[in-house]
Amino acid sequence: MKKAISTAGFNCETEAAAKQIKELGAQNAEISFKTFYEYRPEFSKRLAPEIAGLNVVSVRTFAPNFEYQLFSPSRRVRGDGFYWLDQLMRSMQLLGATRYVLQGAPFGGELTPERVLETLREVMSFCARYGVSVCLENDGVSAPRFYGRLKEICPEISFSLNLSKARLSGYPAQMFAAEMGSAISQICTTEGATTANLPECEFLIFCGNY
């Protein structure tokens, strides 16, 4: 597996964290945008030349900012969500990033795989227009079987296995890995977490401590 460092693990502004990752000599990074200000293309237009040469392998956001809205039953609320998703996609193009880590809604409860499938495919299609693939991350609430069922009804899906969120869910990471299988494209780990008995995937991303 190739290794990358996420700006999520730094206690500073996103641009400062990205520059620190480059200064450390890392080749790959994940950018974790925190605010609406950072989702705008203007922010990435300024950031891109400052981290030139650093391979941005994936981008994630602070999920409650707009990702929850994508799964809303309200047309207007969904429209707000897709507005910010469009801004984010334009920003990712400026950074040369092609993988979007979608954390989605805390599915659980009444949101079954079948009920979120239409929206998930809509998001995937939307992002594909910008040359970006969607990588769905476990949410810290849903059981492993939720993701196994999604894989069955949406074979084209890919996953980000977040070990911290797996721990929060109360299920072993290995159970998520078994359900996600070969659809895992990246694993997000933190200090002290173990990747033993987990499958190989494209990227292992160090996300610091949560």
Side-chain angles (χ1 to χ4, degrees):
M1 286 187 282
K2 300 175 186 176
K3 296 182 179 180
I5 303 174
S6 175
T7 60
F10 292 75
N11 187 26
C12 59
E13 299 288 0
T14 300
E15 62 270 35
K19 286 187 280 189
Q20 285 186 49
I21 292 172
K22 181 181 178 182
E23 290 167 0
L24 287 170
Q27 295 182 328
N28 306 304
E30 176 184 83
I31 302 296
S32 178
F33 289 129
K34 302 173 183 176
T35 68
F36 290 103
Y37 173 83
E38 295 176 353
Y39 303 154
R40 295 185 174 95
E42 291 79 8
F43 178 81
S44 291
K45 191 177 294 185
R46 293 192 298 272
L47 176 62
E50 296 181 3
I51 59 171
L54 185 64
N55 180 30
V56 180
V57 300
S58 58
V59 167
R60 67 173 63 232
T61 69
F62 181 57
N65 278 357
F66 75 85
E67 290 187 356
Y68 293 3
Q69 296 173 328
L70 297 171
F71 294 87
S72 170
S74 166
R75 181 178 176 183
R76 290 183 179 179
V77 173
R78 282 164 50 83
D80 288 342
F82 276 96
Y83 169 81
W84 286 107
L85 183 61
D86 175 75
Q87 294 291 293
L88 181 68
M89 291 299 106
R90 296 176 190 274
S91 295
M92 289 182 64
Q93 286 183 318
L94 291 167
L95 296 174
T98 59
R99 178 185 290 136
Y100 167 44
V101 180
L102 173 67
Q103 298 163 90
F107 294 126
E110 298 179 355
L111 288 179
T112 64
E114 287 77 10
R115 290 186 63 181
V116 303
L117 179 60
E118 182 178 354
T119 297
L120 183 58
R121 280 194 162 137
E122 185 180 1
V123 171
M124 293 166 69
S125 177
F126 185 92
C127 295
R129 299 205 298 262
Y130 295 87
V132 173
S133 61
V134 174
C135 188
L136 181 67
E137 188 164 270
N138 52 305
D139 57 22
V141 176
S142 303
R145 183 57 195 147
F146 182 95
Y147 301 96
R149 178 57 182 156
L150 264 180
K151 183 185 174 188
E152 290 172 0
I153 62 178
C154 186
E156 67 272 29
I157 199 169
S158 66
F159 294 110
S160 169
L161 174 55
N162 188 304
L163 302 187
S164 291
K165 292 179 181 178
R167 186 169 62 249
L168 287 173
S169 74
Y171 295 92
Q174 289 77 11
M175 289 184 67
F176 286 95
E179 293 286 357
M180 295 175 174
S182 60
I184 298 175
S185 62
Q186 66 176 46
I187 295 174
C188 294
T189 186
T190 57
E191 187 175 350
T194 177
T195 58
N197 301 316
L198 293 178
E200 289 286 316
C201 62
E202 187 176 3
F203 282 101
L204 178 65
I205 299 180
F206 182 74
C207 297
N209 296 303
Y210 289 95

